[in-house]
Amino acid sequence: MAVLAESGSNPDVELLYDINGLAKDAPHWFDRVMEFVGEYGLLLAMVLLILWCWWSVRRRGGEEAAPSVAALVWAPLAAGLAVLVNVPIRGFVERPRPFVDHQGLDVLVSGKTDFSFVSDHATITMALGVGLFVAHRRFGLAGIGLALLEGFCRVYMGVHYPTDVVGGFALGTAVVLLLSPLATALLTPLMRAVERSPRAGWLVRRRSAAGGGPDNTLLPGARTPVDHEERDLAA
């Protein structure tokens, strides 16, 4: 695995210098913005995007509410699982951070002493983005866009090689898609059970303002208000 750290005419290292070189020409305040965005900002934006998608799905209701919420629940679970999978990968590859082996990089974040391959930030954001895409394509495309921006930021900050980012994207995507059928089979019935709960049902489907029940959608076997009124008149 030592070849990962070699420079020479390695396009991975050349691209690292090209992207990180933008930080040297940028104003100091812009580098500080990129440091915050790359370290915390995009992760926070991804969480807010998932919450926005959840709010939209539960307001719309319908039969697809429970599967969509189940997919949203799977997204952060998959991201956490992908990070756990990355632990042995990092230990096996043992690739040092780029600033350890290469001089002249503008490193925006100090204190990074762990191994470089693969990027946790890229893994997490892409897992969240792809998981979001499974639940809702429009929100998912926005999430994948945020993940791509996160990958660019990690190289710009001088803390990862481009291949660290690509590896993180691949790992996050693989965990989400490969385990999605099993996760959906387990989480969808759970979300349907939550949906039927009088106390926790609002987590899956919005309650009506007047009666506190689901929005204009009757559960299987429920009696319509018209039938109830006709029986009262007949009595």
Side-chain angles (χ1 to χ4, degrees), residues 1 16 24 33 49 57 60 65 78-79 85 88-89 118 134 152 156 166 168 190 193-194 211 215 217:
M1 297 300 172
L16 165 68
K24 296 182 179 181
V33 170
L49 186 64
V57 166
R60 187 176 60 223
V85 173
I89 294 177
V118 296
V134 173
F152 175 83
Y156 181 95
V166 174
L190 177 60
V194 172
D215 285 343
T217 305

Side-chain angles (χ1 to χ4, degrees), residues 7-152:
S7 57
S9 59
N10 190 338
D12 190 27
V13 177
E14 293 177 359
L15 187 57
L16 165 68
Y17 275 105
D18 288 341
I19 296 177
N20 180 255
L22 299 174
K24 296 182 179 181
D25 300 328
H28 179 74
W29 64 266
F30 184 79
D31 284 348
R32 298 286 73 80
V33 170
M34 290 293 286
E35 175 187 347
F36 174 79
V37 169
E39 195 73 5
Y40 309 107
L42 288 171
L43 291 174
L44 176 60
M46 190 71 76
V47 171
L48 294 177
L49 186 64
I50 290 177
L51 290 176
W52 185 9
C53 183
W54 165 75
W55 186 262
S56 175
V57 166
R58 66 178 289 273
R59 286 190 64 186
R60 187 176 60 223
E63 292 298 322
E64 295 301 316
S68 296
V69 173
L72 288 175
V73 172
W74 168 236
L77 292 178
L81 181 59
V83 171
L84 292 178
V85 173
N86 188 29
V87 172
I89 294 177
R90 280 193 170 192
F92 176 73
V93 177
E94 294 185 345
R95 185 186 204 183
R97 295 279 181 170
F99 51 80
V100 175
D101 293 328
H102 305 286
Q103 303 298 320
L105 293 174
D106 191 4
V107 183
L108 303 186
V109 180
S110 60
K112 299 289 184 181
T113 58
D114 55 342
F115 293 121
S116 184
F117 186 89
V118 296
S119 168
D120 279 339
H121 281 73
T123 301
I124 293 172
T125 52
M126 186 56 75
L128 292 174
V130 174
L132 194 56
F133 184 81
V134 173
H136 193 290
R137 291 195 174 183
R138 180 163 53 88
F139 282 97
L141 290 175
I144 292 173
L146 291 178
L148 294 174
L149 180 58
E150 177 67 71
F152 175 83

Side-chain angles (χ1 to χ4, degrees), residues 144-223:
I144 292 173
L146 291 178
L148 294 174
L149 180 58
E150 177 67 71
F152 175 83
C153 288
R154 302 309 289 177
V155 180
Y156 181 95
M157 294 159 62
V159 294
H160 281 294
Y161 294 93
T163 48
D164 297 338
V165 170
V166 174
F169 289 163
L171 177 59
T173 301
V175 170
V176 172
L177 296 184
L178 291 177
L179 297 180
S180 181
L182 176 61
T184 300
L186 295 175
L187 291 173
T188 299
L190 177 60
M191 291 302 105
R192 292 198 187 279
V194 172
E195 184 180 19
R196 292 191 295 268
S197 171
R199 293 186 178 181
W202 63 273
L203 291 170
V204 177
R205 189 182 302 190
R206 183 183 63 173
R207 302 297 190 184
S208 62
D215 285 343
N216 300 324
T217 305
L218 296 173
L219 297 176
R223 190 169 54 182

